[in-house]
């Protein structure tokens, strides 16, 4: 079995996830990689690596054509270059795609058609991002690309059931199309700490788009009446949020710490009592936060603010160490108070083991490999 994996590395943290997946697949098959950036594969079990850089100007032109006209001439140009350099002996082409760059699905379609092999698409994003995440003109442009190129896929996978249902509604299916959920694999790191002596509430990542910080700040303001020594730390922010000034007094703002992005979260997790996750302030949002996947492997209480009929609401319901709240201040406050109360003593975090196993790279790639074997009609 020979596989060509196509993905873009520039400007996307998702590329790290995709690299872990196709490296796992390389344990079962011969894997070549086609990307936009050169990188060392000495530690990767990869046969060949093909790199075709795309300049900033070219990427800017790609975005303008997609947004304004719903066309991808830059992707087509990149694909023609790719077809001249890659091998011609693949059984399967997999496009690992993100909403920010759709070129992998364009090149994947053309290469698979040229070779007469199967074509698979895996995305951890909903494309185009629905419900206000994407501006209307850009949404329409991306939808045109998706409807055209996804229609050639023999297999489509998304990172949760809600997202997969949305994605399958955006294009006309090829006869015999296969699809499945491939959860976003969790990081390898696992953290076990004693109960923290600090009353620290931690949020990691940016607060942008449809994520609304108002309920967090309002709940924290009320929490300070019971826990006057509590602190709220926001990690990954470039500047203080305007809502913080609107909701919190000068004295209360002194209890908030704004920190830049860091990849070393262990010291922060150790000091924290409660880890906060905030979903988009809307119902039926198909996205599942990557941060909560990291939180799962840390023995700290998790408070998840989410809407109705969301992946978070469905997957994390019924866990004592994962408290869910609605998109309003009262619900957030009640959940935060409950989380702070439980965080003062050891909890049974082993209840998360089935979740942690489901998000493990071994389980995710085992499902993927079984799907690939069925798709390509191979026994091993």
């Amino acid at each position: 079995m020979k596989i060509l994996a196509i993905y873009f590395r520039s400007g996307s943290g998702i590329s790290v996830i995709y690299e872990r997946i196709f490296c796992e697949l390389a344990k079962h098959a011969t894997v070549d990689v086609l990307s936009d950036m050169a990188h060392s594969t000495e530690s990767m079990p990869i046969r060949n690596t093909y790199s075709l850089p795309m300049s900033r100007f070219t990427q800017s032109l790609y975005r303008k054509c997609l947004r304004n006209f719903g066309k991808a001439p830059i992707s087509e140009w990149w694909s023609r270059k790719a077809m001249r350099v890659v091998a011609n002996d693949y059984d399967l082409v997999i496009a690992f795609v993100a909403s920010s760059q759709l070129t992998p699905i364009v090149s994947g379609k053309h290469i698979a058609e040229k070779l007469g092999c199967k074509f698979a698409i895996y995305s951890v994003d909903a494309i185009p991002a629905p419900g206000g995440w994407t501006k209307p003109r850009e949404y329409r442009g991306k939808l045109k690309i998706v409807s055209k190129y996804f229609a050639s896929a023999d297999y489509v996978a998304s990172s949760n059931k809600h997202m997969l249902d949305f994605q399958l509604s955006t294009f006309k299916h090829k006869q015999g199309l296969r699809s499945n959920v491939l959860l976003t694999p969790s990081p390898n790191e696992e953290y076990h700490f004693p109960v923290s002596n600090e009353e620290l509430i931690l949020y990691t990542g940016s607060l942008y788009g449809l994520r609304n910080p108002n309920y967090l700040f309002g709940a924290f303001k009320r929490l300070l009446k019971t826990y006057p020594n509590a602190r709220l730390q926001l990690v990954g922010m470039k500047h203080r949020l305007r809502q913080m000034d609107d909701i919190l007094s000068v004295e209360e703002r002194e209890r908030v710490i704004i920190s830049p992005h860091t990849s070393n979260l262990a010291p922060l997790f150790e000091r924290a009592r409660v880890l906060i996750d905030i979903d988009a302030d809307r119902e039926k949002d198909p996205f599942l936060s990557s941060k909560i996947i990291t939180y799962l492997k840390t023995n700290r209480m998790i408070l998840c603010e989410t809407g109705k009929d969301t992946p978070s609401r469905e997957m994390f319901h019924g866990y004592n160490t994962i408290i869910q709240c609605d998109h309003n201040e009262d619900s957030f406050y009640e959940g935060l108070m409950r989380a702070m109360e439980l965080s003062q003593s050891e909890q049974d975090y082993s209840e998360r083991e089935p979740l942690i196993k489901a998000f493990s790279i071994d389980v995710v790639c085992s499902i993927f490999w079984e799907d690939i074997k069925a798709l390509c009609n191979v026994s091993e």
Side-chain angles (χ1 to χ4, degrees):
M1 167 74 78
K2 297 177 182 178
I3 297 173
L4 176 64
I6 309 173
Y7 78 124
F8 264 48
R9 300 185 75 229
S10 59
S12 175
I14 295 173
S15 62
V16 177
I17 297 170
Y18 290 157
E19 287 169 1
R20 293 179 65 207
I21 291 174
F22 59 65
C23 282
E24 284 294 316
L25 293 180
K27 295 178 180 179
H28 307 282
T30 300
V31 176
D32 288 354
V33 173
L34 171 62
S35 177
D36 64 318
M37 290 180 66
H39 58 291
S40 173
T41 58
E42 292 181 1
S43 60
M44 297 182 181
I46 303 302
R47 182 180 68 168
N48 296 312
T49 300
Y50 306 102
S51 300
L52 296 174
M54 188 180 285
S55 68
R56 288 185 179 181
F57 172 77
T58 305
Q59 294 211 37
S60 175
L61 189 58
Y62 155 83
R63 290 190 292 269
K64 289 179 180 178
C65 291
L66 188 147
R67 181 176 61 247
N68 295 329
F69 308 108
K71 296 184 181 297
I74 300 302
S75 300
E76 295 281 356
W77 163 77
W78 194 87
S79 300
R80 289 192 294 272
K81 290 178 60 179
M83 285 190 285
R84 290 196 292 266
V85 299
V86 299
N88 60 359
D89 59 349
Y90 302 113
D91 303 292
L92 174 66
V93 175
I94 308 176
F96 292 88
V97 65
S99 183
S100 59
Q101 179 52 266
L102 305 185
T103 298
I105 64 172
V106 177
S107 55
K109 171 185 181 295
H110 291 314
I111 294 172
E113 287 181 348
K114 177 185 177 183
L115 301 180
C117 67
K118 297 293 185 180
F119 175 38
I121 299 173
Y122 174 45
S123 175
V124 298
D125 285 337
I127 308 172
W133 282 105
T134 309
K135 293 181 179 179
R137 187 167 61 175
E138 182 180 353
Y139 184 93
R140 291 190 296 270
K142 287 184 176 180
L143 186 59
K144 287 182 180 180
I145 301 300
V146 166
S147 63
K148 179 179 180 180
Y149 293 95
F150 268 69
S152 297
D154 299 289
Y155 175 90
V156 171
S158 296
S159 58
N160 66 70
K161 182 63 167 60
H162 295 253
M163 189 178 291
L164 180 62
D165 289 343
F166 166 78
Q167 201 64 71
L168 291 175
S169 72
T170 60
F171 64 96
K172 184 178 180 180
H173 300 178
K174 184 177 181 178
Q175 186 175 1
L177 174 70
R178 296 171 181 263
S179 62
N180 207 350
V181 171
L182 297 176
L183 298 175
T184 304
S186 61
N188 292 325
E189 294 79 13
E190 204 163 334
Y191 303 103
H192 298 278
F193 303 113
V195 174
S196 175
N197 294 323
E198 299 185 45
E199 295 175 349
L200 179 66
I201 300 157
L202 181 66
Y203 178 90
T204 64
S206 55
L207 274 168
Y208 66 94
L210 300 180
R211 294 187 178 95
N212 186 349
N214 288 5
Y215 313 128
L216 167 62
F217 292 138
F220 180 67
K221 182 184 184 77
R222 293 164 65 178
L223 180 87
L224 287 173
K225 296 177 182 178
T226 305
Y227 295 92
N229 294 321
R231 286 185 176 271
L232 170 64
Q233 185 162 0
L234 308 175
V235 180
M237 302 293 174
K238 295 181 179 179
H239 51 78
R240 193 166 70 184
L241 297 169
R242 173 186 54 79
Q243 294 93 328
M244 192 171 78
D245 294 340
D246 295 340
I247 296 171
L248 302 177
S249 68
V250 174
E251 293 77 13
E252 291 162 345
R253 291 199 294 271
E254 292 177 354
R255 310 301 303 172
V256 180
I257 306 167
I258 306 293
S259 306
H261 169 78
T262 176
S263 58
N264 183 20
L265 293 172
L268 297 170
F269 287 156
E270 184 174 12
R271 292 170 46 220
R273 286 276 191 90
V274 179
L275 307 178
I276 301 293
D277 182 51
I278 298 177
D279 285 341
D281 190 3
R282 62 184 293 260
E283 310 303 328
K284 299 184 178 182
D285 190 73
F287 288 92
L288 181 66
S289 166
S290 60
K291 67 176 65 62
I292 199 168
I293 300 170
T294 303
Y295 290 171
L296 289 174
K297 301 175 78 172
T298 306
N299 61 333
R300 292 293 184 255
M301 291 297 301
I302 298 171
L303 176 59
C304 175
E305 180 205 314
T306 190
K308 296 177 181 177
D309 195 18
T310 64
S312 293
R313 184 72 71 177
E314 179 181 295
M315 297 183 70
F316 306 127
H317 175 73
Y319 289 87
N320 295 323
T321 60
I322 306 175
I323 297 173
Q324 296 183 322
C325 65
D326 301 327
H327 293 305
N328 65 72
E329 184 183 308
D330 289 341
S331 181
F332 203 119
Y333 170 69
E334 292 170 6
L336 189 55
M337 286 290 289
R338 177 65 175 157
M340 287 293 286
E341 178 186 350
L342 293 175
S343 71
Q344 298 178 53
S345 59
E346 290 286 352
Q347 301 297 315
D348 181 16
Y349 294 100
S350 65
E351 68 168 358
R352 299 180 189 170
E353 287 303 321
L355 279 173
I356 292 172
K357 182 178 180 181
F359 281 99
S360 70
I361 186 72
D362 291 340
V363 169
V364 172
C365 288
S366 175
I367 294 170
F368 201 4
W369 177 240
E370 291 301 317
D371 285 353
I372 289 172
K373 289 195 297 181
L375 177 66
C376 298
N377 196 27
V378 297
S379 57
E380 188 53 53

